[in-house]
Amino acid sequence: MAESHPDLLWSSPEPRGSYDVVIVGGGGHGLFTAYYLAANHGITNVAVLERGWLGGGNAVRNTTVIRSNYLWDESAAIYEHSLKLWEGLAAELDYDILFDQRGVLNLAHNLGDAREGVRRVNANRLNGVDAEWLDADGVRAFCPVVNTDPGIRYPVLGATLQRRGGIARHDALVFAVARAAAGLGVHLIQGCEVTGIEVTDGAVRAVQTNRGRIAAGRVGLCAAGHSSVVAGLAGVELPIQSHPLQALVSELLEPVLGCVVMSNAVHVYVSQAHKGELVMGAGIDTYNSYAQRGSFHVIEHQMAAALELFPIFARAHVLRTWAGIVDVCPDASPIVGGTPVDDLFVNCGWGTGGFKATPGSGWVFAWTLAHGEPHELNRSFSLERFETGALIDEHGAAAVAH
Amino acid sequence: MRRLADGGRLDRSTTLAVTWDGREIEAHPGDTLASALLAAGITEVARSTVHGRPRGIVSAGAEEPCAYVQVDAPRSEPLVAATLVEAVDGLVAAPLAGFGRLAGDDLERHDRRHHHCDVLVVGGGTAGAAEARRAAAAGLRVVWAERDTGPLPDLGDDALCLSRTTAVGSYDDNLVMLVERVSSTRRRMWQVRAGEVVLATGAHERPLVFAGNDLPGVMLAGAARTYLERFALVPERAVVFTTNDAGTETAEALRAAGAAVTLVDARAGHAVVAAEGEGRLRSVLVAPIATPADAERVECELLAVSGGFEPVLDLHRHRRGGVRWDAPRACFVPHGTVRNQRIVGTAMGDGLPTVAALWLVPGGEERHAYVDLQRDVTVTDLRRAVGAGLESIEHVKRYTLVGTGVDQGRTAKTNAAAIAAGLLGREIAEIGTSTTRPPVEPVSFAVLAGRARGPRFEPVRTTPIHAWHVNHGAVFEDVGQWKRPWYYPQPGEDMDAAVLRECAAARTGVAMMDASTLGKIDIQGPDSAEFLNRLYTNSYDTLRVGRCRYGLLCRADGMVFDDGVVTRVAEDRFFATTTTGGAAAVLDWMEEWLQTEWPELRVHLTSVTEQWQTVAVVGPRSRDLLSSAFGAIDFSNEAFPFMTFRDTTFHKRFPARVSRVSFSGELAYEVSVPSDAGRLLWLGLWKAGEPLGVTAYGTETMHVLRAEKGFVIVGQDTDGTVTPIDLGMDWIVSKTKPFVGRRSLTRPDTARPDRKQLVGLLPDDPSVRLDEGAQLVLDPEQAPPVTMIGHVTSSYRSAALGRTFALALVRSGRERLGEPVYSPGADGITAARVVEPVFYDAEGLRRDG
Amino acid sequence: MLLIPCPYCGERDEVEFRYGGAAHVSYPEDASAADDREWSRYVFYRPNPSGRFCERWVHQHGCRRWFNLVRDTTTHEIAGSYAIGQETSA
Amino acid sequence: MTVEATLADRGHPRQLGLRVHPSSDAAGRVELLLGSRLPTEPNTVAGGVLWLGPDEWLIVDRELTETQLLGALAGEGAAVELSANRLALHVSGPGARDVLGSCCPLDLHPRVFGAGRCAQTLVAGVAVILERTGDGPGFRLLVRPSFAAHVRAWLIDAIEEPG
């Protein structure tokens, strides 16, 4: 499959002693932030510091569900902004990222789910986000392999459908945005662990790394599951908890599932990737962890639930299971903005649903780093909201907000 | 290859009917599908996924990179290694091109078994056998698992010895998953919690990379030997290409069995530069490694290759066990330990031969030199990846897909790392190897789901009165795990008609509902009132014995989380009800506060949800019904006022409690008896009500009745973002005592006057029912994004009002009373007017009947 | 799946327990006196270390007792458990 | 061939919940009333009294009432009538351990869970009180009534497992 990738991706420069902006974390959020700093704001003296390898965390461990049908206005705006970016990304980055708008179904299994689904569809439409409500017959017509037998334990009463939602190829996205950023002069520095953050007179001055001190005009933290640890280096506390989130993949199969199907009530979200494998996510493990692994019973329950909805999958095999570390916020919404330390900004808390947001997240975070204050789209996603109480609580909308 | 007249571990007295690609081939018990195919002279068994090249059988085991087939009978399975499929009568299989086919649900029985032991030994070889015997002899509880088919010796009552069993995953604290092939169609998954895990998983061989190395007929040397010794299969002419003594031994064994063998030993400076043939191997080019152009052609049908051996360390890797590069044996061996796990024998690297370090034979065409046969990754692909600037093996893996196939790149990874290291000018030890993940071998979804299918998937909770509901035509609603009667349509009625009838009965006559699913908590101890004071928004020290009080619970963030009625049974004893869905969460929440924050409080909590069954009796004639059922009680308003209770007996022997509470605004009672009498109670009340025309009602009617009175349903009119103040329930929020969540109500955002507030809505057209979930706007003509001011939480047709109505959360709602709002929907705009959320009997006159 | 040492019942499978997050986070003595910042710390902020972590669990489907556990969040290795109200012992 | 075990429904045994500090005077008064000591070793049974927690017991099939217990406690601790709160299922026979092993993660080996042992655990994902019965390989499960059908379905299914 190497043929589908270009001949040159990026080079690996030695770090300079100083950058205008240093981004900590070379995942999707960090890479897009760097790319848009260069592409939209002309700030190219930028380094992305990655402890391991680019995109080695959640960027390539997620199930690539892309949608924007969030309930609250603030969420719908930022995720819809992201989805619009996705729609132009292959052309903008000149890379086949296999973005495929095959539609995302969110199933409703009880009257509460259905009420919530209708509420979300109505809100989405008024926010300019495409959304439809399907009854059980509509679900069957759109996705015939979903078991719509009314006699199953959690029968399908209906679903929300976002036709513009879909999937993409995650590692291609990492390659694409990293290449684009590097092409604009951004330094991608791998194997570079931030071990300290220098704060003087209430402002950030530099980061200490295993490859030496790097001075920075502004620092943006995009460390996902490690956000608490990295922010802690600057004495900044975050209302974040890190948990394992497991996923699994089957062997390559002839086409069987043509859209993305999600069910919060029974913790299933699944799609069939372009190559042909079923990609499925499980529920979050309850305990805090940085181990990138979860417990077997979560997978076991996941399989039983999946077969309730998709009996056709019974004979498929699980080839691999794995886990990412998700940074979960109390209101299941991200934190994108300033910190009590001047010139230190944070982009975290995307929890279980960050992949879809990466272009939008990078776009607003780049704006924020360039201007030193939040863009209109991320103004509400501030740390201050935990003090004022102005939370953006997407729990009610989706217990597992993938 | 041909089958020798005798030899091998086969039962030749029996011939099995095996169908391959529509053609009958011969097999014997002891054969695998792979050996049967080789015996039948079939070398091409699959097409490669990307390049569409013919592929054959490379191994005799789980490391197989090529021979993935579709099995259609006796149990349909996509993409399984032919080397792992036991030949059975009626086996039907076919070649694949990398994509499996799903053939419907799998209703075969796949069982699950939990097991505990002191020692789990994985691997039935010499080292594993020694470990298992030693542990059993020491009186320990042993589990011994071997993936091969031969039975394991009996080690006594406390030993579980499982053949045909693969350990597929190792998890924290030594929980190991074993999959036992109980029969050709059934699997049993053992979940073994072991004090110690001993890995005796051996090693597997690795091929070499050269042009044309994917041709059918190119096989691992050890596999060639297995096919000879176990399956009595021998080639006419073979070339053995090796870097080590094991390959030399294979050459000798093949020769002894009558094959013409050419040995190409890399240690002597020679190599196979290329394999040739159309569709299958016909010849190889042999040359000195230093001068690959000086090649000599050797005809052969089999090329047996040994590049070295790799300890099988998947289970160790699942637990983040480390590895290090061992240069003499050219493989990764264990490094460091995993708690309570040991590795023994060849899995440690013990006894593995030293090898000449060779991966890629120079001189051949790199685009035909396959590193990963499963994913069709060639040396050219690796070169492109490195050329693109990639330095991490993980990036190379994602760029090329090397090691991501069904086989998890078992035979490909070390070669890939070594070749990439060469291209990068670095050491293989620096490059490392990507980790393996569970499961070790693919496990089907059905096997993982086990018996948790269909009726056993998740509990269906019902009350003892359930059969009555079913017999009376109830339509059920899922509330958590409970099935609750939603409404009881009579012949010819739709839901609207049934609900209007049930509502009318409750408002004008008498109606009954099964309320048994409400959560119930017994609260005892001298500090009970203080405890409830700290949790509920209102006070309980002021509640007199014998009386009931409605209460709200908030989380620490000030948002409403549950509600119910609290009854003071005695000075130091209370009884609290919760919502059906919130029952477990509320008890857990109370225990958490009690045990972790206020251990000094002398309070004990007990769930009595299922001790008591409860029937709600509602309507102006409910007093008549209950007077007839419980003659000993004076039901007059004076003797039995609202929000009080009476204890009595039912059927003379069951304790019963009658509470005068109302969730409908009507005169109403709730009667509770021990659950073993619940059905009798329902039948008894029904009988008492029949002369009064009693009607059964479900949750929908209950919802309509409460909404007419403006009573909220937590979870429907709230969504975790709503405070008691937002609901207009200031009257229940104490200003004088602290309670959990109170501080949150004075945060800047929660104290804002323009929050969303609960209001009533009356659609302009009284026949139009707003959708629950409809969004509300002030300007229906605005272009998106439209400013939304709230949404409809509950919406019904009302028999009592003779029209539709709704409850909604609306920004600054209480300031908008009388104002119009609009709901733009798919079918047009619905106009409505904001009103007080109490639609019926605002004066509360009906409560006393 | 973790094997969790309940201080009362001994080692049991994780499925019998419910997680309670960081240990030693007390409800403010006088919540009404806390300013918005202090109150937000209590409601929303919890330690989230990489490494040794004192956390709470409840033996939900067993003896229903809450207790504290010392566990490493990078290895999942459990050092020990101790009663609510006690200082870290492990 | 199926597993050698039988499942029997035993209705609602008499059950009383008891909460009291084990070293308190009240505990002594309860023991006097019971005529036997409260088991203090976790997960054990003595005289029909099951240890459920460090200050919690379930008194099964004893001729006692909630009122009597409350009287003995005299305000220290708690007593709750729970006879209808759970019903009893018995699994017995040589294969009883295998049957439970299909859906219960607990170690039920006789050396670990022999006569006199009880535990609160999960069976088929449902909370139950499990008790080893008598000397033979048998178990009593106390299950909340609404979950009994589910647990029963799993146990019957396990009994029907072919060898």
Side-chain angles (χ1 to χ4, degrees):
Chain A
M1 295 297 262
E3 298 81 14
S4 61
H5 298 295
D7 286 331
L8 185 62
L9 290 174
W10 61 73
S11 55
S12 296
E14 281 302 308
R16 291 184 199 128
S18 164
Y19 292 91
D20 293 340
V21 179
V22 163
I23 292 160
V24 181
H29 298 282
L31 290 170
F32 266 113
T33 303
Y35 167 70
Y36 284 119
L37 272 170
N40 292 0
H41 304 284
I43 301 171
T44 57
N45 185 25
V46 174
V48 176
L49 309 185
E50 167 54 48
R51 184 174 73 149
W53 39 283
L54 297 175
N58 297 342
V60 297
R61 290 166 190 271
N62 71 90
T63 53
T64 83
V65 178
I66 297 162
R67 61 186 180 89
S68 65
N69 54 351
Y70 280 72
L71 174 65
W72 300 107
D73 299 348
E74 300 88 340
S75 312
I78 196 167
Y79 285 104
E80 177 62 16
H81 181 66
S82 194
L83 180 54
K84 290 215 170 82
L85 291 171
W86 274 106
E87 288 171 333
L89 222 46
E92 179 173 358
L93 302 177
D94 185 25
Y95 209 115
D96 186 8
I97 54 170
L98 298 178
F99 176 54
D100 180 355
Q101 293 177 292
R102 53 177 63 183
V104 175
L105 285 176
N106 289 71
L107 301 180
H109 299 281
N110 57 46
L111 299 176
D113 283 356
R115 206 175 278 126
E116 189 282 318
V118 169
R119 177 184 177 193
R120 193 155 44 80
V121 163
N122 282 314
N124 290 161
R125 284 184 169 170
L126 294 172
N127 271 322
V129 175
D130 75 302
E132 292 163 54
W133 173 254
L134 305 182
D135 61 13
D137 289 338
V139 172
R140 195 179 307 119
F142 188 76
C143 186
V145 293
V146 173
N147 184 3
T148 48
D149 177 349
I152 65 173
R153 179 67 190 87
Y154 296 112
V156 174
L157 302 187
T160 67
L161 167 62
Q162 183 176 28
R163 291 184 192 269
R164 287 166 60 242
I167 57 171
R169 178 93 199 117
H170 49 28
D171 34 31
L173 179 79
V174 170
F175 289 158
V177 64
R179 181 182 70 146
L184 294 171
V186 169
H187 276 190
L188 306 177
I189 301 167
Q190 303 181 72
C192 183
E193 181 171 7
V194 172
T195 54
I197 297 178
E198 273 182 40
V199 177
T200 311
D201 300 330
V204 72
R205 301 287 184 226
V207 295
Q208 304 286 350
T209 78
N210 60 339
R211 297 175 67 172
R213 178 182 186 274
I214 300 174
R218 282 187 178 136
V219 173
L221 306 182
C222 298
H226 286 86
S227 292
S228 301
V229 175
V230 176
L233 297 175
V236 171
E237 289 178 283
L238 297 173
I240 293 279
Q241 298 283 291
S242 299
H243 292 275
L245 179 69
Q246 302 187 69
L248 59 92
V249 67
S250 81
E251 70 268 69
L252 306 187
L253 297 164
E254 290 178 356
V256 57
L257 176 64
C259 62
V260 181
V261 180
M262 307 176 58
S263 164
N264 290 319
V266 296
H267 295 302
V268 171
Y269 50 107
V270 61
S271 66
Q272 185 169 20
H274 296 83
K275 293 206 304 280
E277 68 271 34
L278 296 171
V279 182
M280 195 175 284
I284 200 167
D285 278 75
T286 58
Y287 48 74
N288 288 32
S289 172
Y290 290 83
Q292 290 188 328
R293 67 170 182 271
S295 294
F296 179 75
H297 65 91
V298 175
I299 296 285
E300 198 177 11
H301 181 77
Q302 161 76 6
M303 286 293 102
L307 295 193
E308 274 289 289
L309 288 177
F310 300 97
I312 183 78
F313 294 169
R315 296 166 193 280
H317 297 100
V318 172
L319 285 201
R320 293 190 303 282
T321 61
W322 66 89
I325 310 169
V326 294
D327 39 332
V328 177
C329 242
D331 58 355
S333 286
I335 300 165
V336 187
T339 68
V341 175
D342 288 348
D343 295 323
L344 179 68
F345 296 83
V346 66
N347 182 354
C348 66
W350 293 95
T352 58
F355 179 73
K356 68 173 84 69
T358 48
S361 149
W363 195 96
V364 299
F365 200 45
W367 202 98
T368 304
L369 283 165
H371 293 84
E373 60 170 11
H375 185 268
E376 217 30 65
L377 283 168
N378 63 310
R379 190 172 301 281
S380 306
F381 294 95
S382 67
L383 259 180
E384 288 78 32
R385 74 180 188 270
F386 297 99
E387 291 179 22
T388 63
L391 303 193
I392 304 157
D393 195 338
E394 289 287 340
H395 282 123
V400 186
H402 302 284
Chain B
M1 307 253 261
R2 75 190 156 83
R3 181 153 271 167
L4 295 167
D6 49 26
R9 304 212 307 257
L10 302 167
D11 172 9
R12 297 192 193 225
S13 65
T14 305
T15 300
L16 307 169
V18 171
T19 307
W20 169 254
D21 204 10
R23 165 188 161 195
E24 294 265 318
I25 61 171
E26 200 170 90
H28 301 295
D31 264 321
T32 62
L33 176 59
S35 66
L37 288 166
L38 290 169
I42 297 167
T43 52
E44 181 190 332
V45 302
R47 284 269 162 178
S48 76
T49 315
V50 182
H51 297 163
R53 292 179 45 117
R55 291 287 162 80
I57 293 159
V58 172
S59 76
E63 66 272 29
E64 178 58 41
C66 281
Y68 286 87
V69 303
Q70 177 88 24
V71 172
D72 293 317
R75 168 173 175 250
S76 174
E77 243 188 309
L79 220 65
V80 284
T83 53
L84 298 182
V85 176
E86 282 180 50
V88 292
D89 214 32
L91 174 65
V92 180
L96 285 178
F99 295 88
R101 285 188 302 275
L102 295 178
D105 200 355
D106 177 4
L107 300 175
E108 181 54 276
R109 190 180 171 110
H110 304 302
D111 283 288
R112 181 78 82 251
R113 200 66 72 77
H114 299 268
H115 198 85
H116 299 254
C117 65
D118 300 310
V119 181
L120 165 67
V121 180
V122 183
T126 324
E131 290 287 339
R133 284 178 200 284
R134 189 178 313 129
L140 299 174
R141 293 163 67 189
V142 178
V143 175
W144 183 20
E146 162 57 39
R147 75 162 320 290
D148 210 341
T149 52
L152 297 175
D154 185 4
L155 296 180
D157 285 350
D158 267 341
L160 176 67
C161 301
L162 301 166
S163 59
R164 289 190 165 88
T165 300
T166 307
V168 295
S170 180
Y171 296 85
D172 287 322
D173 299 314
N174 277 353
L175 183 70
V176 180
M177 301 300 152
L178 312 176
V179 175
E180 179 189 8
R181 297 182 299 284
V182 182
S183 73
S184 58
T185 57
R186 280 181 57 212
R187 305 288 180 267
R188 181 186 286 132
M189 177 176 269
W190 295 84
Q191 304 194 352
V192 178
R193 184 73 81 171
E196 183 183 42
V197 170
V198 179
L199 301 181
T201 39
H204 70 69
E205 208 165 20
R206 172 175 81 223
L208 288 154
V209 182
F210 49 87
N213 64 338
D214 67 326
L215 278 174
V218 180
M219 186 182 278
L220 291 168
R225 193 161 172 189
T226 300
Y227 285 115
L228 171 66
E229 291 174 356
R230 182 162 174 173
F231 301 106
L233 293 165
V234 66
E236 290 290 329
R237 301 186 60 83
V239 172
V240 176
F241 175 22
T242 186
T243 62
N244 61 76
D245 283 346
T248 319
E249 286 165 23
T250 296
E252 282 159 17
L254 289 170
R255 219 172 257 144
V261 179
T262 305
L263 178 67
V264 180
D265 195 330
R267 292 170 298 181
H270 286 82
V272 169
V273 180
E276 305 171 321
E278 281 300 319
R280 58 168 299 175
L281 180 71
R282 301 288 176 192
S283 58
V284 298
L285 294 178
V286 178
I289 295 174
T291 54
D294 299 340
E296 190 183 321
R297 178 165 288 119
V298 180
E299 310 247 316
C300 58
E301 64 172 301
L302 174 74
L303 171 57
V305 181
S306 181
F309 291 83
E310 321 237 324
V312 174
L313 296 172
D314 304 69
L315 298 172
H316 175 66
R317 303 286 278 162
H318 293 176
R319 301 289 300 280
R320 297 292 189 272
V323 293
R324 65 171 176 83
W325 180 249
D326 180 279
R329 291 172 287 192
C331 62
F332 288 98
V333 296
H335 180 61
T337 56
V338 168
R339 188 154 80 162
N340 298 326
Q341 176 203 280
R342 278 189 299 127
I343 307 176
V344 298
T346 41
M348 259 326 262
D350 297 349
L352 291 180
T354 56
V355 306
L358 180 66
W359 340 98
L360 171 62
V361 180
E365 275 210 64
E366 290 190 350
R367 69 194 171 90
H368 289 143
Y370 283 85
V371 181
D372 185 338
L373 293 101
Q374 166 67 208
R375 282 295 203 210
D376 273 347
V377 178
T378 65
V379 175
T380 305
D381 296 324
L382 292 184
R383 197 176 281 285
R384 285 195 73 229
V386 169
L390 302 181
E391 296 180 352
S392 158
I393 193 70
E394 293 287 353
H395 281 144
V396 171
K397 170 176 158 184
R398 286 169 167 80
Y399 188 92
T400 62
L401 299 184
V402 68
T404 63
V406 181
D407 61 342
Q408 293 208 38
R410 239 165 263 286
T411 55
K413 275 190 189 170
T414 300
N415 284 334
I419 293 168
L423 293 170
L424 287 163
R426 289 160 65 187
E427 294 297 318
I428 185 171
E430 285 177 64
I431 295 278
T433 180
S434 57
T435 194
T436 64
R437 303 188 185 283
V440 174
E441 288 172 19
V443 183
S444 79
F445 287 22
V447 170
L448 286 165
R451 302 303 292 157
R453 300 287 315 272
R456 288 172 307 278
F457 169 54
E458 268 193 22
V460 177
R461 300 178 71 183
T462 59
T463 75
I465 310 165
H466 187 71
W468 190 96
H469 305 317
V470 172
N471 291 337
H472 288 75
V475 176
F476 292 89
E477 174 193 6
D478 280 309
V479 183
Q481 292 177 319
W482 291 97
K483 292 278 181 198
R484 298 195 69 183
W486 189 14
Y487 57 98
Y488 298 80
Q490 303 222 324
E493 276 186 342
D494 62 5
M495 178 174 168
D496 274 353
V499 172
L500 286 171
R501 173 181 49 77
E502 291 171 18
C503 286
R507 291 261 183 247
T508 61
V510 60
M512 278 166 52
M513 184 184 73
D514 182 355
S516 304
T517 60
L518 291 183
K520 307 172 196 78
I521 301 168
D522 178 277
I523 300 152
Q524 288 188 48
D527 298 322
S528 297
E530 169 64 17
F531 175 68
L532 295 172
N533 267 3
R534 294 184 189 185
L535 286 180
Y536 284 87
T537 59
N538 51 352
S539 298
Y540 288 87
D541 51 344
T542 54
L543 182 66
R544 282 183 285 130
V545 173
R547 300 196 70 93
C548 317
R549 183 167 284 172
Y550 173 78
L552 265 188
L553 291 165
C554 292
R555 297 266 188 200
D557 65 3
M559 303 303 155
V560 171
F561 130 72
D562 207 81
D563 67 349
V565 171
V566 179
T567 301
R568 191 164 203 167
V569 180
E571 187 57 33
D572 58 358
R573 188 170 189 178
F574 292 80
F575 179 87
T577 62
T578 74
T579 61
T580 296
V586 171
L587 179 66
D588 293 348
W589 165 252
M590 289 183 168
E591 278 289 358
E592 181 176 346
W593 285 99
L594 184 57
Q595 291 186 38
T596 69
E597 284 297 335
W598 306 319
E600 73 283 3
L601 293 184
R602 294 162 299 165
V603 177
H604 294 292
L605 307 171
T606 308
S607 167
V608 288
T609 297
E610 300 210 32
Q611 169 68 22
W612 299 100
Q613 298 293 311
T614 303
V615 177
V617 183
V618 176
R621 306 211 63 187
S622 55
R623 181 176 283 135
D624 301 339
L625 190 156
L626 287 170
S627 300
S628 134
F630 295 96
I633 298 178
D634 178 354
F635 282 93
S636 69
N637 265 325
E638 299 67 34
F640 192 168
F642 185 58
M643 290 307 245
T644 62
F645 73 90
R646 294 290 174 273
D647 281 340
T648 179
T649 55
F650 171 67
H651 274 219
K652 298 206 169 64
R653 56 197 173 98
F654 299 107
R657 173 168 298 158
V658 183
S659 302
R660 215 188 125 189
V661 295
S662 177
F663 196 42
S664 58
E666 294 297 327
L667 177 69
Y669 301 85
E670 286 182 1
V671 188
S672 298
V673 295
S675 54
D676 45 347
R679 200 177 140 271
L680 279 179
L681 173 70
W682 179 272
L683 294 175
L685 294 176
W686 188 258
K687 195 160 174 229
E690 270 180 335
L692 306 168
V694 68
T695 298
Y697 71 97
T699 52
E700 186 69 10
T701 290
M702 181 255 283
H703 287 187
V704 177
L705 298 174
R706 62 87 203 179
E708 288 170 346
K709 289 291 293 176
F711 300 149
V712 299
I713 299 272
V714 173
Q716 174 166 343
D717 301 298
T718 70
D719 61 4
T721 70
V722 179
T723 70
I725 313 299
D726 299 338
L727 294 174
M729 295 175 78
D730 319 47
W731 55 272
I732 205 174
V733 179
S734 171
K735 308 282 185 295
T736 54
K737 58 134 195 154
F739 60 86
V740 170
R742 182 177 168 197
R743 172 62 184 82
S744 285
L745 301 179
T746 55
R747 292 176 298 171
D749 191 74
T750 33
R752 274 190 305 130
D754 63 341
R755 284 179 62 82
K756 288 180 182 167
Q757 295 157 346
L758 186 80
V759 293
L761 293 181
L762 289 175
D764 290 359
D765 178 344
S767 69
V768 170
R769 193 175 65 86
L770 286 158
D771 280 344
E772 287 173 352
Q775 294 289 332
L776 301 169
V777 305
L778 295 177
D779 174 7
E781 305 303 326
Q782 193 185 352
V786 181
T787 308
M788 290 169 255
I789 59 160
H791 76 284
V792 174
T793 59
S794 298
S795 179
Y796 309 100
R797 296 184 192 285
S798 165
L801 306 177
R803 59 158 302 143
T804 56
F805 73 104
L807 296 175
L809 287 167
V810 173
R811 189 167 295 286
S812 303
R814 284 196 287 276
E815 291 172 16
R816 297 186 198 273
L817 295 180
E819 293 177 13
V821 292
Y822 303 92
S823 163
D827 311 321
I829 295 163
T830 307
R833 199 155 295 275
V834 179
V835 297
E836 288 283 356
V838 184
F839 297 87
Y840 185 75
D841 184 33
E843 305 77 24
L845 302 176
R846 305 193 56 85
R847 194 188 74 188
D848 292 333
Chain C
M1 175 150 44
L2 307 176
L3 187 64
I4 296 174
C6 168
Y8 309 102
C9 300
E11 290 182 334
R12 296 285 187 93
D13 271 9
E14 179 194 332
V15 289
E16 293 188 7
F17 298 83
R18 188 165 64 85
Y19 190 56
H24 310 299
V25 179
S26 304
Y27 192 73
E29 275 297 320
D30 181 2
S32 64
D35 65 22
D36 287 333
R37 187 182 172 283
E38 288 161 353
W39 181 246
S40 79
R41 290 300 183 274
Y42 167 72
V43 178
F44 295 118
Y45 286 69
R46 292 291 180 275
N48 185 29
S50 168
R52 187 176 180 278
F53 189 37
C54 297
E55 59 191 15
R56 306 181 311 159
W57 291 80
V58 58
H59 194 186
Q60 178 95 335
H61 301 297
C63 65
R64 297 200 298 141
R65 292 312 108 142
W66 282 85
F67 59 92
N68 296 324
L69 195 71
V70 182
R71 189 178 57 94
D72 190 306
T73 59
T74 61
T75 63
H76 294 177
E77 279 191 15
I78 293 168
S81 57
Y82 57 101
I84 295 288
Q86 284 182 1
E87 294 300 309
T88 316
S89 63
Chain D
M1 212 194 90
T2 58
V3 180
E4 232 181 299
T6 53
L7 173 67
D9 240 307
R10 295 286 167 79
H12 293 273
R14 294 187 66 152
Q15 299 162 75
L16 280 168
L18 170 66
R19 301 290 300 271
V20 67
H21 195 282
S23 55
S24 65
D25 292 348
R29 292 193 296 271
V30 169
E31 287 177 338
L32 217 56
L33 183 69
L34 283 166
S36 62
R37 303 296 302 267
L38 294 168
T40 49
E41 187 188 335
N43 299 301
T44 60
V45 188
V49 182
L50 282 67
W51 183 98
L52 298 185
D55 66 349
E56 182 169 9
W57 290 266
L58 188 71
I59 303 169
V60 182
D61 277 336
R62 296 289 300 263
E63 291 295 317
L64 268 182
T65 64
E66 181 188 282
T67 313
Q68 284 174 292
L69 261 188
L70 285 171
L73 288 167
E76 283 185 68
V80 188
E81 164 60 41
L82 291 172
S83 297
N85 203 43
R86 292 189 183 87
L87 50 78
L89 301 174
H90 282 231
V91 184
S92 53
R97 184 145 71 94
D98 289 340
V99 168
L100 280 169
S102 73
C103 52
C104 175
L106 207 62
D107 187 356
L108 300 175
H109 190 279
R111 263 188 281 180
V112 179
F113 199 78
R117 308 297 305 192
C118 67
Q120 294 163 93
T121 185
L122 292 171
V123 170
V126 167
V128 303
I129 300 173
L130 187 64
E131 185 187 356
R132 183 88 191 198
T133 51
D135 296 330
F139 301 90
R140 171 162 70 182
L141 288 74
L142 295 171
V143 187
R144 282 185 282 160
S146 70
F147 288 109
H150 180 76
V151 172
R152 216 181 272 123
W154 271 85
L155 296 174
I156 289 169
D157 183 69
I159 289 171
E160 288 170 353
E161 178 182 345

